């Protein structure tokens, strides 16, 4: 197949690219390199890299040409950045999705899988979250992810396109960049573990998250694009198990036979207290289940960083 991966030089996108190349597909990456990195991608004869933004329709139109599958991972991924710059979020996080849908409609209607987010659920009570749960987007990021999901579903209903939204929970794994305070917490904690510096737990550490390993997220993407019955749907991509941050830190440090001695900082404003996915729908329709236990994923991540 010919695949387009937007945000393909980023954390999750680059893992999708790697898998597609390994399976013999031809891949075009579209990335503006605002956070993505060329070194996240291999040099490969079946890989073409285009520098550009999803907010530019002409760029998207050129990229969608003769493509069979689109994996749409490009976004401003930082929630706080979208709070500072909601108009940019609308242009990129929502407008980018609409550009892809519209260009796809006019150029052979390739299948499209979208990186949606558990941010859709906001902080409403009731766990685990199923896809029929109410949504409560609390940031421009979440608003634009939810709006994008609706646009995908509408294009399915209006034009019969194969569109699927995957609501990622807390994804972790190699190539997640730890450099910002809003980077994924596992990437930050692993950085401290390896550097011998002190991690900071924001709040009491009893907040919970459902951490899913990036290779499992890639598998969910492949199933979503190839499963006819998934068209028009949205699916949680988590593990169905949540851990507290304190448990996470303990498990991580235990890999090196150490005890974490974190410092504590104030809880992040707007932090969600508990998050956990119900993944019954993905199991049923996609035949997908996460294959990587948290500790195994942590081990793989630490090993990859130790080279
Ligand atoms: C995740 C997504 C975000 C959005 C949101 C929706 C990531 C990286 N972010 O945010 O894009 O979809 O879910 O709910 O997946 N923490 C610490 N110490 C640190 C850093 C973080 O204690 O040094 C805490 C933080 O306050 C939070 C937890 O760790 O309670 C997870 O933080 P995160 O930024 O990894 O992810 P989250 O769930 O806030």
């Amino acid at each position: 197949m010919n695949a387009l991966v937007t945000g393909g030089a980023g954390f999750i996108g680059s893992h999708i690219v790697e898998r597609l190349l390994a399976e013999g597909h031809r891949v075009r990456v579209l990335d503006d390199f605002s956070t993505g990195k060329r070194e996240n991608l291999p040099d490969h004869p079946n890989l073409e890299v285009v520098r550009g933004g999803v907010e530019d329709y002409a760029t998207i139109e050129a990229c969608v040409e003769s493509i069979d599958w689109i994996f749409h991972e490009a976004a401003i991924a930082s929630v706080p950045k979208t709070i500072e710059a909601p108009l940019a979020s609308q242009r990129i996080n929502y407008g980018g999705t609409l550009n892809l849908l519209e260009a796809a409609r006019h150029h052979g209607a390739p299948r499209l899988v979208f990186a949606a987010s558990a941010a859709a659920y906001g902080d409403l009570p009731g766990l685990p979250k199923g896809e029929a749960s109410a949504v409560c987007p609390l940031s421009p990021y979440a608003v634009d992810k939810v709006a994008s999901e609706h646009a995908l579903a509408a294009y399915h209903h209006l034009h019969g396109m194969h569109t699927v939204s995957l609501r990622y929970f807390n994804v972790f794994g190699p190539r997640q960049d730890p450099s910002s305070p809003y980077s994924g917490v596992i990437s930050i904690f692993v950085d401290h573990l390896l550097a011998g510096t002190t991690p900071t737990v924001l709040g009491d550490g009893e907040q919970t998250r459902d951490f899913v390993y990036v290779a499992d997220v890639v598998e969910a993407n492949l199933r979503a694009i190839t499963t006819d019955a998934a068209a028009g749907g949205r699916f949680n991509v988590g593990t169905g198990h949540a851990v507290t941050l304190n448990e996470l830190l303990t498990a991580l440090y235990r890999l090196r036979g150490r005890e974490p001695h974190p410092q504590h900082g104030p809880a992040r404003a707007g932090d969600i207290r508990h998050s956990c996915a119900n993944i019954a729908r993905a199991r049923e329709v996609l035949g997908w289940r996460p294959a990587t236990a948290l500790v195994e994923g942590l081990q793989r991540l630490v090993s990859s960083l130790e080279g």
Side-chain angles (χ1 to χ4, degrees):
M1 291 289 173
N2 291 315
L4 170 66
V5 183
T6 72
F11 163 46
I12 299 171
S14 66
H15 284 274
I16 294 175
V17 171
E18 194 174 73
R19 169 83 183 265
L20 290 168
L21 290 173
E23 292 190 359
H25 301 292
R26 281 178 298 277
V27 182
R28 178 177 295 151
V29 162
L30 173 65
D31 204 297
D32 67 2
F33 292 94
S34 54
T35 55
K37 297 189 186 99
R38 185 60 183 83
E39 59 265 31
N40 284 343
L41 293 168
D43 287 320
H44 193 287
N46 285 346
L47 174 64
E48 177 195 357
V49 180
V50 178
R51 179 184 288 267
V54 288
E55 67 278 20
D56 181 44
Y57 187 74
T59 302
I60 291 290
E61 221 178 7
C63 282
V64 160
E65 195 62 53
S66 64
I67 288 292
D68 308 297
W69 289 349
I70 301 173
F71 299 91
H72 179 29
E73 310 301 307
I76 302 177
S78 156
V79 174
K81 261 190 208 165
T82 69
I83 294 170
E84 269 167 43
L87 299 179
S89 176
Q90 186 207 33
R91 271 197 311 276
I92 295 169
N93 290 0
Y94 177 62
T97 307
L98 200 58
N99 281 341
L100 274 169
L101 285 166
E102 191 53 11
R105 177 163 84 95
H106 290 293
H107 295 273
R111 292 185 167 208
L112 196 159
V113 175
F114 167 60
S117 171
Y121 299 116
D123 214 2
L124 292 176
L127 290 174
K129 293 295 182 193
E131 295 85 349
S133 303
V135 297
C136 181
L138 295 173
S139 63
Y141 173 85
V143 167
D144 293 323
K145 287 288 185 185
V146 171
S148 293
E149 285 186 10
H150 285 300
L152 261 80
Y155 269 70
H156 169 68
H157 292 297
L158 291 171
H159 308 299
M161 283 170 55
H162 182 102
T163 60
V164 184
S165 294
L166 297 180
R167 287 183 177 165
Y168 298 164
F169 279 66
N170 288 67
V171 185
F172 75 103
R175 300 203 281 272
Q176 191 170 30
D177 184 357
S179 62
S180 131
Y182 299 105
S183 301
V185 68
I186 290 183
S187 68
I188 295 174
F189 283 176
V190 168
D191 212 35
H192 286 295
L193 172 73
L194 297 180
T197 46
T198 306
T200 303
V201 169
L202 302 174
D204 62 5
E206 290 302 299
Q207 64 268 49
T208 55
R209 291 294 184 273
D210 183 338
F211 293 103
V212 57
Y213 191 66
V214 67
D216 290 324
V217 175
V218 172
E219 176 64 28
N221 273 273
L222 267 292
R223 285 177 185 249
I225 209 121
T226 52
T227 304
D228 291 346
R234 38 175 77 93
F235 299 89
N236 285 340
V237 174
T239 66
H241 302 287
V243 293
T244 68
L245 278 198
N246 291 327
E247 288 167 341
L248 166 71
L249 254 188
T250 302
L252 177 62
Y253 276 65
R254 195 174 289 150
L255 294 177
R256 288 291 163 273
R258 288 167 42 196
E259 290 279 324
H261 297 288
Q263 57 189 9
H264 283 263
R268 205 183 256 171
D271 204 33
I272 283 163
R273 188 68 178 161
H274 297 297
S275 174
C276 186
N278 178 332
I279 56 170
R281 191 185 281 182
R283 276 181 200 265
E284 216 169 283
V285 180
L286 304 179
W288 173 83
R289 61 172 61 206
T292 318
L294 176 63
V295 171
E296 186 188 342
L298 292 173
Q299 179 67 67
R300 282 209 237 166
L301 171 58
V302 170
S303 304
S304 77
L305 290 168
E306 285 175 332

